[in-house]
Structures are given as C-alpha cells and as structure tokens.
Amino acid sequence: MEQEEALRMNIRLFSLIVSAYNEGGNIDGFFEAASTIVRPLAEQGFRLEIVFADDGSSDKTADKIRGLFPAAACNSIDIKLVSFSRNFGKEAAMYAGLKNAAGDFCCFIDADLQQRPETALAMLEMLLLNPDYDCVAACLENRGTGVRQKLSSSFYKILSKSSGMQDVVDEASDFRVFSRAVADALLDMPEYYRFSKGLFAWVGFKTLPFPYTPDERHSGETTWTFPKLVRYGIGGILSFSTAPLQVAIWLGLFTSAAALIYFIVVICQRLFIGIEIPGYATIVALLLMLGGVQLLVLGILGEYLARIYIQGKDRPVFIVKSYSEQLAIQEDE
C-alpha cells in the first residue's frame, strides 16, 4: 500500500479543458480520441483529466457527457462536467473549466475535434522538453490569403502595437497547453470581459509557438460567424488597449484645429478679398463633419463606460446549474 501511495503521489495530472456549446454529436468522438492518449501520458507519469464546460447547450450535450462517466472510470480518466444555467459564451466556459481543473498542466481545447487530443499531447511533450517555457500555443500553419485571413493577421498586429504587449503570438489560437503557474495567474484575473489571447500575453510567461493544421469538424457546424468574430476582436482590443481613447483625443484636436483654420480663412476672405461669406452648403458640411466626429468620440467613450458599468456590478462570469465528476482514482479516507 505504501508503494502504491508513493506512486500515486508521483503521478502528475494533465487537464483537458473542453468548452462545449451544442456539441452533442462530437462528445463521443472527442472522448474516444482523448482515450488514445491515456497510455502515452501514463508512460510519462501523467494521469488524464477532462473538464467539460457545457455552455448552456440546448441539445443533449450534458447528457452525452454524463454518459461517459462509466467509460472514463474504466479508462482511468477523471472527468468533470460544469453545466451553465444559460449560454454565457466560450470565454466564460474556458474560465469555468480552468477553475475546476486540478492539472499540473492544462490545455484549452474545443470539442469539435478540429483540435485533436493527440496534438495536445505533442504540445505537452514540447513543453516538457523546454522547461524554461510555461506555455505552448497552437498557431495555424496555413492561414490562407483570403480577406478573413488578412483581417485576422492585421488584428494581431493591431492588438500587439496598441496594447503595448509584445508577447502576443501571431496567429495563435486558444488551443494551448500551459503550466499550473500560468493557470493560477489567469485565475487571479476574474474580469467579466475576458479575452484569453490577450490574457495569456498580459501575464507574461514565455510561450512557444506550435504550428498545426486544424482538422474538419467531426459533426455539426461552427457557431462562430464572421460578425461574431468581428465583435470578439473589437472586444479584445477594447479590453487591452486605451488606443481608441487616444485616437479620439487626437482626432478631436485635429478637427478642432482644422475648423479654426477654416474659420480664419473665411474671416480673411471677408476682410481682404471681399467675397461673400460661405453659405448654407459650407455650414452644413462643417456641422456634419464636426457632429460626426463628436458622435464617434462619444461612442468610443460609451464603450469604455459600459464596460466600467458592467464590471462595477461585480457579476459572476458564469453561473453553474449543476456539477458532476467521476474520479478514476479514489482518495483514501
């Protein structure tokens, strides 16, 4: 018994944190893929934990996950399920999963099998071979050259320059393997508007890029439409940069100076040239220009004030409806 207890104490835990929203058709396939890495992990002294965060799914996602409990116990896999009372979004699901993950190393991964557990294992092995690093970030190897891909590349550059964070990994996804130190640092930031790519850069741990090509979805269709991605990107910049406020200031100064110069020109024309004062069209044009700038500045300020308002309420990032777990190794009393 003493030898078994010593062996158990030396086993480290690797946590797969899986956010799932209407992924009922992918759960079984994901678990089957995850089961294939149990033995390679055991050979390296690791036990597998899977933490599912059901983001208020309207299908049978939660029931599918609970149905995995007997198989998980047979495969020596710890499995946990956090079910939300409604849909709070992927970022909230990732945060909930991280709060319930006990791993020495953790991994954010999607349930649709575009991100494979086998790839997560390879990322963990890379991290173990590079002890000076605390995180491995999967980066899309072949991003493409379409408009969407160019916008994505431009977004990372804008985020890096506007936020002052030089550690933003270009083309990095949320698919990452990271140490317990990084996990604890992320948990120390319980902000409501979360943007994980920015949070990983902000905490400042050394990150290795891991080129990968995502697979096709195992089942169903993605819920990440282009408008949602645009809103997500804008939210990320607003969460980590005050550059929009600075742009508003400089834009206001520029337009004020331009209006003053134009006013002086009109006065000089009137006094020295004798032409008539510009009429209705000019006045309307100026009013529209200045009014538009004012609305733009107010809109930017409104975005920040809205975030301060929501954060000031100190609402929880998520609300748990139910919690379930099945531990493969039971602790002794």
Side-chain angles (χ1 to χ4, degrees), residues 2 5 13 25 41 45 68 118 125 127 141 159 171 178 194 200 214 228 230 279 287 300 303 311:
E2 292 182 359
E5 183 65 22
L13 192 63
L41 281 172
L68 299 176
E118 301 93 317
E125 292 171 346
L127 194 57
E141 194 168 21
L159 178 63
E171 304 295 345
F178 47 95
R194 302 185 68 81
F200 273 107
K228 285 185 178 180
V230 171
L287 288 175
I300 294 173
E303 285 291 332
Q311 188 68 38

Side-chain angles (χ1 to χ4, degrees), residues 103-145:
D104 300 278
F105 292 88
C106 300
C107 172
F108 285 137
I109 187 171
D110 292 341
D112 56 14
L113 287 176
Q114 287 187 294
Q115 303 166 352
R116 303 284 304 183
E118 301 93 317
T119 306
L121 175 62
M123 293 163 65
L124 174 63
E125 292 171 346
M126 173 183 281
L127 194 57
L128 294 174
L129 291 173
N130 295 273
D132 291 336
Y133 288 81
D134 288 281
C135 181
V136 173
C139 306
L140 296 181
E141 194 168 21
N142 299 311
R143 189 71 187 184
T145 58

